[in-house]
């Protein structure tokens, strides 16, 4: 484990829109995964399509002048707390339920030939991000980033982008806890980890089309109250085996909430710190669009 390191790379003053599905008046508000998934895909596809059309306009002065009349679609951050959902990324494989043979990381699924629509009553979505299987649900803040890495002043480097997203989470948790060097990266696995516990508190997974990113991070805030984290019991999240004595079952409440949740931030408070940290790390200015619904 190693602690935070600032990874500033962008010197521009570009804007990013924030679309929030969080609402302080409805603390238990849960958004179905497919709602924000479709919004995110539409935003990222629009940006990729615009870039493709701009590329096609090169060498055609008249068409290029016409295209120049239209501003490029904006970057977006989407903040949401999902209803219970499993998502599987591009690295997922359907194999035997045996770790030594290469299992499918759904516990108890056995040798199913096809991915079922539900596991333990929780819907499963096969999506375009990298990685294996993970769980989204109550008590977890999910932040999606539709971000053009090809804009001037930015680096076309997906590994660096993932590290920068990890830095965003680290800085956000530093602010929320008022402490430094308590969370960081793991040398073998992506995500953000509680250093002392050697347990994962946030997962990172992205997709990219024409250097436009989508998907993002899931930060575990409170998986204790009401058995909110039960969905994690049905999987080997992100392909991390139990025999490694590691996992994603730690959350903010377990690590720093003192057992009574008095210091556990709300979804909106955590979302605000994630946006602030993103502004700092990526040198952009956020504009809030309000609630997604």
């Amino acid at each position: 484990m190693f602690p935070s390191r600032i990874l500033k790379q962008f010197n521009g003053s570009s804007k990013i829109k924030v679309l929030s599905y969080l609402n302080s008046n409805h603390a238990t508000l849960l958004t179905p995964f497919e709602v924000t998934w479709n919004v995110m895909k539409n935003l990222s596809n629009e940006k990729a399509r615009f870039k493709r059309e701009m590329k096609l306009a090169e060498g055609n002065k008249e068409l290029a002048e016409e295209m120049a009349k239209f501003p490029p679609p904006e970057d977006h951050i989407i903040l949401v707390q999902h209803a219970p959902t499993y998502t599987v990324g591009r690295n997922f494989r359907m194999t035997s339920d045996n770790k030594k043979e290469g299992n499918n990381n759904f516990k108890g699924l056995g040798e199913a030939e096809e991915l079922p629509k539900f596991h333990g009553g929780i819907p499963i979505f096969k999506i375009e991000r990298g990685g294996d299987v993970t769980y989204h649900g109550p008590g977890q803040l999910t932040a999606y980033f539709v971000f053009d890495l090809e804009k001037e002043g930015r680096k076309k480097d997906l590994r660096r982008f993932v590290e920068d997203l990890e830095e965003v989470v680290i800085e956000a948790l530093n602010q929320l806890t008022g402490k430094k060097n308590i969370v960081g990266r793991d040398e073998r696995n992506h995500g953000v980890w509680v250093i002392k516990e050697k347990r994962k508190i946030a997962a990172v997974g992205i997709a990219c089309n024409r250097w436009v990113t989508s998907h993002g991070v899931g930060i575990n805030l409170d998986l204790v109250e009401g058995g909110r984290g039960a969905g994690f019991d049905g999987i080997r999240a992100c392909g991390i085996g139990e025999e490694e004595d590691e996992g994603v079952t730690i959350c903010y409440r377990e690590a720093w909430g003192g057992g009574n949740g008095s210091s556990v931030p709300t979804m909106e408070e955590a979302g605000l710190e994630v946006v602030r940290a993103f502004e700092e790390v990526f040198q952009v200015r956020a504009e809030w669009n309000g609630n997604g619904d």
Side-chain angles (χ1 to χ4, degrees):
M1 297 285 177
F2 51 97
S4 166
R5 61 184 176 91
I6 295 294
L7 295 172
K8 291 184 181 179
Q9 66 175 40
F10 303 141
N11 299 315
S13 58
S14 57
K15 297 182 296 183
I16 188 166
K17 293 282 188 180
V18 181
L19 181 60
S20 176
Y21 286 81
L22 309 175
N23 191 325
S24 60
N25 295 322
H26 300 280
T28 59
L29 180 66
L30 303 176
T31 303
F33 174 78
E34 59 266 39
V35 171
T36 43
W37 186 31
N38 286 332
V39 170
M40 176 183 63
K41 287 192 294 184
N42 287 338
L43 290 171
S44 61
N45 288 341
E46 182 185 11
K47 289 178 72 68
R49 183 168 56 250
F50 182 88
K51 294 178 68 176
R52 182 176 64 251
E53 291 173 353
M54 289 293 291
K55 185 71 174 178
L56 292 173
E58 291 180 0
N60 185 324
K61 183 178 180 181
E62 184 177 343
L63 182 56
E65 290 176 350
E66 185 65 23
M67 287 292 298
K69 297 177 182 178
F70 300 94
E74 295 176 293
D75 295 323
H76 277 79
I77 298 174
I78 303 173
L79 303 174
V80 63
Q81 179 180 206
H82 282 305
T85 307
Y86 289 124
T87 64
V88 297
R90 297 189 306 272
N91 295 347
F92 177 82
R93 299 290 183 272
M94 289 296 299
T95 56
S96 170
D97 190 16
N98 183 321
K99 183 68 177 177
K100 293 181 180 179
E101 296 178 10
N103 69 290
N104 57 44
N105 290 322
F106 276 103
K107 296 179 182 177
L109 192 58
E111 297 185 2
E113 294 183 359
E114 296 183 359
L115 184 67
K117 293 182 178 180
F118 295 87
H119 182 56
I122 298 174
I124 301 173
F125 293 89
K126 192 171 184 179
I127 61 176
E128 55 281 337
R129 65 159 170 79
D132 204 292
V133 57
T134 195
Y135 170 74
H136 297 294
Q140 182 191 80
L141 171 67
T142 301
Y144 299 120
F145 306 94
V146 179
F147 197 66
D148 187 357
L149 295 179
E150 212 169 22
K151 278 188 177 180
E152 184 178 357
R154 302 177 183 177
K155 290 189 176 182
K156 296 191 294 183
D157 186 334
L158 291 181
R159 184 180 184 88
R160 176 67 176 270
F161 180 69
V162 169
E163 292 176 345
D164 281 346
L165 289 186
E166 292 169 344
E167 182 64 26
V168 166
V169 176
I170 290 169
E171 291 302 312
L173 289 172
N174 284 346
Q175 291 299 316
L176 290 167
T177 61
K179 302 175 183 179
K180 299 287 185 180
N181 300 330
I182 55 174
V183 293
R185 298 178 182 81
D186 179 74
E187 295 179 351
R188 292 177 298 164
N189 301 292
H190 285 303
V192 176
W193 300 69
V194 178
I195 295 174
K196 184 178 179 180
E197 302 286 344
K198 295 184 179 180
R199 294 169 69 189
K200 196 173 187 179
I201 193 170
V204 180
I206 65 168
C208 188
N209 179 15
R210 291 183 175 269
W211 295 106
V212 175
T213 71
S214 58
H215 295 278
V217 303
I219 306 172
N220 301 328
L221 295 178
D222 188 355
L223 304 179
V224 179
E225 186 176 347
R228 291 175 172 178
F232 280 114
D233 296 336
I235 61 172
R236 299 174 187 87
C238 304
I240 298 174
E242 294 173 340
E243 70 276 9
E244 297 181 61
D245 194 30
E246 298 172 345
V248 298
T249 54
I250 197 164
C251 64
Y252 191 104
R253 177 187 283 245
E254 290 175 297
W256 308 293
N260 58 15
S262 59
S263 62
V264 178
T266 66
M267 287 288 159
E268 284 192 322
E269 289 169 340
L272 179 60
E273 290 303 334
V274 166
V275 172
R276 287 174 174 169
F278 193 91
E279 287 181 303
E280 175 69 16
V281 172
F282 288 93
Q283 294 295 283
V284 295
R285 177 168 55 86
E287 292 186 350
W288 290 74
N289 272 12
N291 197 279
D293 54 13

